[in-house]
Amino acid sequence: MTTETTTPRNSRLENLRNLEPAGRLDVLAAAVGMSDEDRVTLTGADVLPMPLANGMIENVIGKFELPLAVASNFTINDKDYLIPMVVEEPSVVAAASYMAKIARGCGGFRTSADRPVMRAQIQVVGLADPSGARHRLLGAEAELREMCNARDEVLVSLGGGCIGIEVHVFETSAVGPMAVLHILVDVRDAMGANAVNSMAETIAPRVAEIAGGHTRLRILSNLADHRLARAHVTLTPEALTTKTMDGNDVIDGMIEAYALAQIDPYRAATHNKGVMNGVDPVVVATGNDWRAIEAGAHAWAARSGQYTSLTTWERGANGSLTGTIEMPMALGLVGGATKTHPAAQAALRVLGVSTAQELAQVTVAVGLAQNMAALRALATEGIQKGHMALHARNIAILAGATGAEVEAVAKAIATQGHVSVQAAKEVLAKL
Ligand code: MEV
């Protein structure tokens, strides 16, 4: 099942941030033609009934809530998207929406995605002739592929299924040589873990027989390097000009910041954390497996042997700045929490994607936008000013502010530059 393709959206929702949550939901509902049922679901009011929660994992004792927001202004391949994001960190959604607004003025994001191919590994140990085993396994590709596909006729009927194998040979210090057979499986709109794990377990005995060893692990790889999604954006200096800095200087600063992430793992880890600030909230909002996405992202970033940036930033011949991102994106529209969690289903309808590949492209575009926000802030005023201004609302609430006091206290402590609970309490007492 995929989500319905919906009428085109306009992702420019004026004044959204100045509304109360219920008012924002009204605006969003009108923009995407939301059903009454989805409206209720997205408010979070007992959206995950206890029997459902109890069926999802073990030893359930309750439910844990996080804010659900919508990022506006995104144009991706000339289509507007309103993007549901679940995240606890202030400034993430605001930054994504603001960068999307800048990008929109420059033509928006362009994206592409590979065919949704996942890998599973079957480890074969106890081999006398690992290279010979490799050749015998490669020779049996058609037979192994057919065995995999017989295991999942539904997937094959949808145009997916096993499309090939690879065999990798390793010499290990602990147990000697081993061969590892990979099956490459087009999993269509699924994340694909169950499909590929079942196939791997099905063919393992035959793999052992052909190789002449014993099989041990039979499990997917989260390094989904055949399932990459890409996005790029090109920004003019004018679009990046700030109150205090010329756009050309901003571009220089952003490229210098990127250059450090390219060569230094200490910086690359933080740079990529900023990318994942955009990616993970979409993954969570759509009920997908964020640990799988995180594992794939960082393994991909380290694929050359040196951990590096997931994005690139460079100046084009006409002086514009081009940012790119390419990373594994194993996301599904069917199965798991995507299917069972009512809010994930409603979030997918807000997003209006019709395939897992489209979801992957939107998600990496948000990751690129988030990285752009961080580099732009770091290259200009630093991140603390904007971050603390948004964080001030949290602090105001912690200090006991309610209703209209929250904004008033937040504004006062942000302006003073003392964003602390003590400062908020003092402002509140004066109010
Ligand atoms: C904070 O959550 C993310 C940043 O540290 C990312 C970065 O430094 O690029 C701002």
Side-chain angles (χ1 to χ4, degrees):
M1 188 203 80
T2 56
T3 55
E4 292 158 37
T5 309
T6 42
T7 45
R9 287 139 169 56
N10 176 1
S11 66
R12 289 283 296 129
L13 301 184
E14 300 290 343
N15 211 23
L16 196 63
R17 63 192 291 258
N18 297 324
L19 299 173
E20 289 297 314
R24 286 192 197 111
L25 187 55
D26 286 343
V27 171
L28 180 67
V32 303
M34 191 183 289
S35 69
D36 290 346
E37 205 182 342
D38 279 357
R39 272 186 71 107
V40 175
T41 300
L42 291 174
T43 60
D46 204 29
V47 58
L48 187 64
M50 192 48 101
L52 197 53
N54 192 33
M56 283 171 83
I57 61 168
E58 311 69 43
N59 294 356
V60 168
I61 53 165
K63 294 175 274 177
F64 185 99
E65 295 185 330
L66 282 171
L68 164 66
V70 67
S72 55
N73 302 327
F74 273 86
T75 303
I76 302 171
N77 301 332
D78 300 321
K79 175 175 167 185
D80 272 20
Y81 292 90
L82 287 154
I83 302 182
M85 298 178 80
V86 169
V87 66
E88 87 301 343
E89 182 171 335
S91 82
V92 165
V93 179
S97 303
Y98 185 28
M99 294 306 111
K101 189 172 167 193
I102 294 178
R104 182 186 188 85
C106 298
F109 296 89
R110 299 274 149 196
T111 62
S112 63
D114 293 342
R115 195 174 168 183
V117 173
M118 294 295 284
R119 287 175 186 272
Q121 298 181 292
I122 302 164
Q123 178 195 28
V124 196
V125 294
L127 290 168
D129 60 342
S131 298
R134 176 170 174 270
H135 279 243
R136 289 192 293 279
L137 289 167
L138 288 173
E141 187 198 342
E143 178 194 346
L144 295 172
R145 197 162 18 91
E146 274 162 31
M147 281 180 79
C148 285
N149 287 338
R151 179 73 182 71
D152 200 335
E153 285 168 2
V154 176
L155 185 60
V156 174
S157 74
L158 293 169
C162 181
I163 59 166
I165 65 168
E166 289 174 10
V167 184
H168 303 218
V169 172
F170 299 105
E171 183 57 48
T172 72
S173 56
V175 295
M178 63 179 71
V180 182
L181 180 120
H182 290 204
I183 52 173
L184 306 178
V185 183
D186 180 334
V187 296
R188 299 283 85 196
D189 282 324
M191 185 275 183
N194 286 332
V196 299
N197 289 343
S198 300
M199 286 181 183
E201 291 192 0
T202 300
I203 69 166
R206 180 69 186 128
V207 169
E209 204 171 74
I210 297 168
H214 323 287
T215 55
R216 189 66 68 190
L217 303 186
R218 293 145 300 157
I219 186 75
L220 94 166
S221 169
N222 287 119
L223 178 48
D225 59 352
H226 279 305
R227 200 177 184 178
L228 303 177
R230 300 166 205 91
H232 68 268
V233 66
T234 296
L235 307 156
T236 59
E238 296 71 43
L240 289 165
T241 297
T242 70
K243 280 188 195 132
T244 54
M245 261 175 95
D246 178 71
N248 280 301
D249 297 335
V250 177
I251 290 178
D252 287 344
M254 290 175 72
I255 294 174
E256 281 166 15
Y258 156 65
L260 181 59
Q262 199 185 14
I263 49 122
D264 175 14
Y266 287 103
R267 173 58 203 154
T270 321
H271 179 101
N272 290 344
K273 192 275 183 180
V275 171
M276 302 314 283
N277 273 351
V279 168
D280 285 340
V282 185
V283 177
V284 177
T286 57
N288 273 287
D289 181 344
W290 70 92
R291 288 89 55 216
I293 296 298
E294 285 282 345
H298 300 293
W300 173 251
R303 67 194 178 284
S304 70
Q306 152 127 12
Y307 186 83
T308 185
S309 167
L310 288 166
T311 60
T312 68
W313 291 93
E314 55 201 6
R315 208 189 258 275
N318 64 359
S320 290
L321 175 69
T322 295
T324 70
I325 185 168
E326 180 176 52
M327 61 186 287
M329 202 40 67
L331 296 177
L333 294 183
V334 292
T338 303
K339 184 83 180 284
T340 49
H341 200 302
Q345 286 282 307
L348 281 168
R349 284 188 282 273
V350 168
L351 202 47
V353 291
S354 49
T355 62
Q357 283 165 300
E358 188 181 357
L359 175 60
Q361 292 172 66
V362 169
T363 306
V364 294
V366 183
L368 183 61
Q370 205 67 47
N371 180 231
M372 169 183 161
L375 297 192
R376 182 177 171 279
L378 290 167
T380 55
E381 62 185 15
I383 64 143
Q384 279 310 84
K385 191 165 168 220
H387 187 77
M388 288 319 257
L390 290 165
H391 183 54
R393 295 176 57 182
N394 267 343
I395 298 294
I397 293 166
L398 279 179
T402 53
E405 289 166 355
V406 176
E407 272 316 314
V409 173
K411 207 167 166 197
I413 58 175
T415 311
Q416 286 170 14
H418 296 297
V419 181
S420 68
V421 176
Q422 186 51 35
K425 280 188 175 157
E426 282 164 21
V427 173
L428 195 58
K430 282 187 201 142
L431 281 180

